[in-house]
Amino acid sequence: MNNHQGEHAAPAPAVPPRLSGERRNSAAKWSLSTIAEADRAAILGRKKWPQHAAALAATLTSLVGGAVLGWTSPILGRVHILGPIGSWVASLAPLGALVGAALAGWAANSAGRRTLILALVLPNVAGWSVLAAAGNSVEEALLQKADMLYAGRLLTGLCAGAATVLVPMYSSEIADSVSRGTLGVYLDLSLTVGILLAYIVGGAGGQTVLSALCGVLSLLAAAVFFFMPESPQFLVVKGRRAEAEEALRWLRTGSRAPTPKGPNGQRVDVTSELDAMTRLAVESEERERASGGVLGAVRGLCSKGGSSPTSRAVVLVVVLMALQQLSGIDAIIFFLQTIFQKSASSLDPTYSSMVVGAVQVAATLVAALLVERAGRRLLLGVSGSLMAASLAALLVYFLFHKELEVDLNAFSWLPVSCLSAFVFVYCIGFGPLPFLMMAEFLPLEARSWGCGLAACVNWSLMFVVVRLFNLCINNIGEAATFGIFCAICILGTLFVLTLVPETQGKTPSEIRQYLQDREIHTVTRRVSTPGGVVGNIGSSLTAMMIRR
């Protein structure tokens, strides 16, 4: 009888050796098609505030990262440092962020998301302390203490870059599929609050007060986040199921009791959701071994034009990050007061910057409310098209004001209005959503290095744009510079509407299945160009568009 059963029994699903014992048994019960059902079932009857509290605590680190971005406008703008020295001081932060993003992507799978976010307090406090010690006179500091400014900007930039990798990963992995969009927007919300903080405190109190305040906020952020749990998905991957179950119980109920109660008093069991996470870890490990890991994904991208779901996800994320930075947003944020000075606006540049900063925060709050209602693609499409329209109006203003020397005193309000509109529509789409969709698109086995790669692309392009912005303004003029940004926004809108899939309400398994279904039934040709990889990415994007 036992032999007969052994001959006809279906083979058990293969489970990687790293998953053993209880984890192997529970994982073997699950198939990819049941993960979505488990995830949705896990949402019913559970509290929302713990995952929101954990995500907000994680993004407090990014608040001082926003101050890193906003630091340049009030500090350098007030002393009119617009030449190469000012550009270097401004662009050293993105350069440090590039290093921080690369290191965070490399270490996230070994050290853990929570541990690394907490560890950022050390270089953060050190960087802000160095800036505070440089003194309130930036002109004097550049002459006598330039090394301190450079070191401070590099260290604070490093932490900001690392946070843009770690926080989206953490927020995505603690969220259920219904709340994931709102939690993902919290990163951009904290960045915009930090930028506004820099505009207000830097404009009113100067460099020393701003730096000292940010150092204190860094310590406060670490103290608050210390009480939050590690990502349960990370704990599952590391084989720490008991810790993962405890973390998941708190995130879903606010209690660490073995059988906690939900908001209606009913008992809540997180076992099914934990089993789904385990199955995702199993499938992820199998795909990683089959593909050869990071090098295998790179080889697939170069040789097949991104025909695998992972390669396709990487292409989408990298392009979204590139479009975000090439829109010119951070050049505008960094040199906002300088732009207002050049526009001859009747409004004070310092107060104009504060207005734009407040608009950023308000727009990000709107995005948090809309992201799970309107969807990602719609918000990105509206954002890109209206960004282009705002920049087109600014282009026309500078064309008449600077090139044709037309008296536009009656329209002195236009630059503030255009930049406020640009920042508002940016913050409801192209600001928060690329980071949110980065964590959504990338599968578990590629999330660490993929998020690191995307963030590196983002920060490296920020460095280039910030370094070249003043050069372009001084050589080709404001109208041409904003015209380039306008054209890129138009291209970005077309890219979103033709190639980017919707991820609203979808579980990780459903998103991966969608990318798998985009497989083209024709041979993807390798483009023979001097930039072979670029050609392959282009052919992959074209193939995806044809399929849609």
Side-chain angles (χ1 to χ4, degrees), residues 312 316 499 520 539-548:
R312 194 171 295 116
L316 288 172
L499 295 176
I520 311 305
S539 64
S540 175
L541 295 177
T542 303
M544 292 166 64
M545 181 173 63
I546 292 172
R547 174 68 183 203
R548 289 181 62 83

Side-chain angles (χ1 to χ4, degrees), residues 349-413:
T350 300
Y351 294 117
S352 298
S353 300
M354 293 180 186
V355 169
V356 174
V359 168
Q360 274 191 291
V361 176
T364 309
L365 290 172
V366 171
L369 296 175
L370 292 179
V371 66
E372 291 298 354
R373 294 173 172 83
R376 281 64 152 158
R377 287 184 73 241
L378 177 60
L379 288 179
L380 282 172
V382 171
S383 175
S385 58
L386 294 182
M387 284 164 63
S390 302
L391 290 173
L394 197 61
L395 181 161
V396 173
Y397 176 87
F398 276 109
L399 179 65
F400 281 90
H401 176 62
K402 290 284 189 173
E403 307 295 334
L404 303 179
E405 298 183 352
V406 176
D407 184 5
L408 294 178
N409 287 334
F411 298 93
S412 59
W413 50 268

Side-chain angles (χ1 to χ4, degrees), residues 123-270:
N124 236 341
V125 171
W128 289 113
S129 299
V130 170
L131 287 175
N136 217 38
S137 174
V138 179
E139 289 177 311
E140 181 181 342
L142 285 172
L143 292 174
Q144 301 177 8
K145 304 174 183 178
D147 291 344
M148 297 180 69
L149 286 180
Y150 296 153
R153 291 287 287 168
L154 277 171
L155 282 173
T156 54
L158 182 145
C159 296
T164 57
V165 174
L166 299 169
V167 172
M169 292 172 62
Y170 180 82
S171 298
S172 176
E173 291 175 359
I174 66 172
D176 56 46
S177 59
V178 171
S179 304
R180 192 175 61 235
T182 303
L183 267 61
V185 173
Y186 287 162
L187 170 65
D188 203 61
L189 177 62
S190 65
L191 289 173
T192 57
V193 171
I195 291 171
L196 179 60
L197 176 73
Y199 287 169
I200 295 175
V201 178
Q207 202 277 131
T208 302
V209 175
L210 173 61
S211 299
L213 177 61
C214 288
V216 173
L217 288 176
S218 299
L219 291 171
L220 178 62
V224 172
F225 188 62
F226 179 80
F227 297 98
M228 298 299 122
E230 177 59 272
S231 157
Q233 184 68 76
F234 169 78
L235 294 172
V236 165
V237 170
K238 292 300 180 181
R240 297 153 61 181
R241 182 181 174 96
E243 295 176 57
E245 185 173 0
E246 182 180 352
L248 193 59
R249 276 201 304 267
W250 187 87
L251 289 167
R252 298 296 179 259
T253 66
S255 171
R256 299 182 189 273
T259 54
K261 293 183 179 180
N264 299 323
Q266 75 275 25
R267 297 290 179 180
V268 176
D269 183 14
V270 298

Side-chain angles (χ1 to χ4, degrees), residues 267-345:
R267 297 290 179 180
V268 176
D269 183 14
V270 298
T271 303
S272 60
E273 188 176 1
L274 194 63
D275 285 342
M277 288 184 176
T278 303
R279 183 59 186 175
L280 280 177
V282 171
E283 297 291 338
S284 172
E285 187 172 334
E286 290 175 344
R287 291 194 299 266
E288 185 177 17
R289 290 194 302 165
S291 65
V294 178
L295 294 179
V298 173
R299 284 194 299 268
L301 179 63
C302 296
S303 62
K304 304 175 185 177
S307 60
S308 71
T310 299
S311 299
R312 194 171 295 116
V314 170
V315 170
L316 288 172
V317 168
V318 167
V319 174
L320 282 175
M321 288 295 186
L323 290 170
Q324 182 193 66
Q325 283 306 318
L326 293 176
S327 70
I329 180 63
D330 281 301
I332 292 172
I333 295 300
F334 275 48
F335 299 106
L336 195 56
Q337 287 196 22
T338 302
I339 296 171
F340 285 135
Q341 290 163 5
K342 287 181 174 290
S343 69
S345 173

